[in-house]
């Protein structure tokens, strides 16, 4: 199995979805570490309760981003993780970190990229009047919310939706999508070729139109 680290900053529901998926003996990844920049992240308790090692690398204890990222990098390596999954990790990472983990660093973003990069994606989707919204799992590049796409899941925008109701629908899709995409990445079935991901599966996609 591929050893992975999951980085969180808060609630940790996507991390929890990965923990649940990893209980399946056929899942190709083992979560060796859940790390947070925020000591109060609720997800840390969830991980501990599941018997997973946790670490806090509090960005406020470091002089600059570089020192913080060096500490994060060392912590991840200490646990032997080969792939790093960002799951609601709310610190912008510098090119030093993203290039060090190039093609080994995965993010989940709550929109159908390249639409709605950044924050408040559900509010902005409603404002834009899109009829289809969703989430994206991608390899991380230095530019924010950019990089080769592994998978996407779409949800409808329904009459009367608020950012909350739409966000819940997307979050549900995120949980299913992230586990599938991490499995593909860890089994070598989602390799980057020419800045796109070449998937080595036929059936991927249809079941993610939720
Ligand atoms: C998720 O919706 C995730 O896609 C989003 O934060 C939420 C974290 O929830 N990530 C970003 O916005 C990254 N820019 P969780 O802690 O329950 O997984």
């Amino acid at each position: 199995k591929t050893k992975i680290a999951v980085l969180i900053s808060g609630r940790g529901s996507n991390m929890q979805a990965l923990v649940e998926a990893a209980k399946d003996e056929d899942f190709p990844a083992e979560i060796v570490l859940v790390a947070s920049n925020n000591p109060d992240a609720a997800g840390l308790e969830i991980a501990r309760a599941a018997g997973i090692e946790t670490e806090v690398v509090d960005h406020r204890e470091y002089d600059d981003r570089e020192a913080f990222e060096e500490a994060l990098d060392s912590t991840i390596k200490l646990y032997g993780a080969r792939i790093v999954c960002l799951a609601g990790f709310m610190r912008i990472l510098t090119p030093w970190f993203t290039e060090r983990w190039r093609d080994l660093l995965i993010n989940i973003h709550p929109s159908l990229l390249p639409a709605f990069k950044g924050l408040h994606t559900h509010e902005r989707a409603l404002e834009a009047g899109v009829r289809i919204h969703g989430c994206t799992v991608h390899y991380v590049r230095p530019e924010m919310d950019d990089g080769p796409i592994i998978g996407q899941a779409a949800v409808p925008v329904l009459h009367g939706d608020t950012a909350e109701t739409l966000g819940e629908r997307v979050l549900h899709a995120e949980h299913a999508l992230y586990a599938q995409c991490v499995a593909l990445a860890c089994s070598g079935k989602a390799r980057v070729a020419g800045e796109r991901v070449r998937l080595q599966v036929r059936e991927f996609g249809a079941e993610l139109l939720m």
Side-chain angles (χ1 to χ4, degrees):
K1 288 186 189 261
T2 304
K3 294 181 176 177
I4 64 172
V6 184
L7 305 189
I8 65 170
S9 295
R11 178 178 55 185
S13 73
N14 276 291
M15 176 274 298
Q16 188 171 17
L18 294 179
V19 169
E20 289 301 320
K23 287 181 182 167
D24 186 334
E25 61 176 34
D26 293 333
F27 197 73
E30 174 197 356
I31 303 172
V32 293
L33 171 69
V34 170
S36 177
N37 64 303
N38 169 16
D40 300 324
L44 287 171
E45 253 332 296
I46 297 172
R48 284 185 199 117
I52 293 166
E53 299 276 1
T54 62
E55 292 280 358
V56 172
V57 184
D58 187 340
H59 59 277
R60 293 166 298 191
E61 288 175 7
Y62 297 87
D63 289 339
D64 49 34
R65 272 184 201 275
E66 202 169 300
F68 163 65
E69 290 183 355
E70 276 173 14
L72 193 59
D73 182 66
S74 309
T75 303
I76 293 165
K77 290 199 170 126
L78 202 63
Y79 286 81
R82 303 304 307 273
I83 287 191
V84 177
C85 301
L86 305 178
F89 184 72
M90 302 312 266
R91 300 296 298 171
I92 288 174
L93 293 164
T94 72
W96 180 83
F97 191 92
T98 60
E99 287 303 290
R100 216 172 164 80
W101 289 92
R102 191 181 176 88
D103 298 344
L104 301 170
L105 179 61
I106 302 172
N107 182 44
I108 183 154
H109 180 76
S111 78
L112 291 172
L113 291 174
F116 309 122
K117 295 180 178 184
L119 297 174
H120 310 299
T121 56
H122 311 311
E123 285 89 337
R124 287 158 57 213
L126 288 174
E127 268 167 33
V130 296
R131 300 291 184 232
I132 301 284
H133 186 39
C135 47
T136 302
V137 175
H138 64 97
Y139 288 109
V140 174
R141 289 292 179 263
E143 305 75 41
M144 189 185 62
D145 299 327
D146 187 59
I149 290 171
I150 300 172
Q152 295 185 303
V155 303
V157 179
L158 299 179
H159 184 72
D161 260 342
T162 62
E164 285 69 36
T165 58
L166 180 57
E168 273 172 36
R169 196 173 305 121
V170 172
L171 189 65
H172 185 68
E174 287 185 44
H175 298 160
L177 179 71
Y178 212 3
Q180 289 200 42
C181 290
V182 168
L184 288 172
C186 289
S187 57
K189 291 179 179 164
R191 289 190 203 282
V192 181
E195 283 306 270
R196 290 201 195 152
V197 171
R198 183 171 303 161
L199 284 185
Q200 289 173 26
V201 279
R202 280 161 186 236
E203 69 278 15
F204 186 78
E207 77 275 23
L208 291 169
L209 295 169
M210 306 186 174

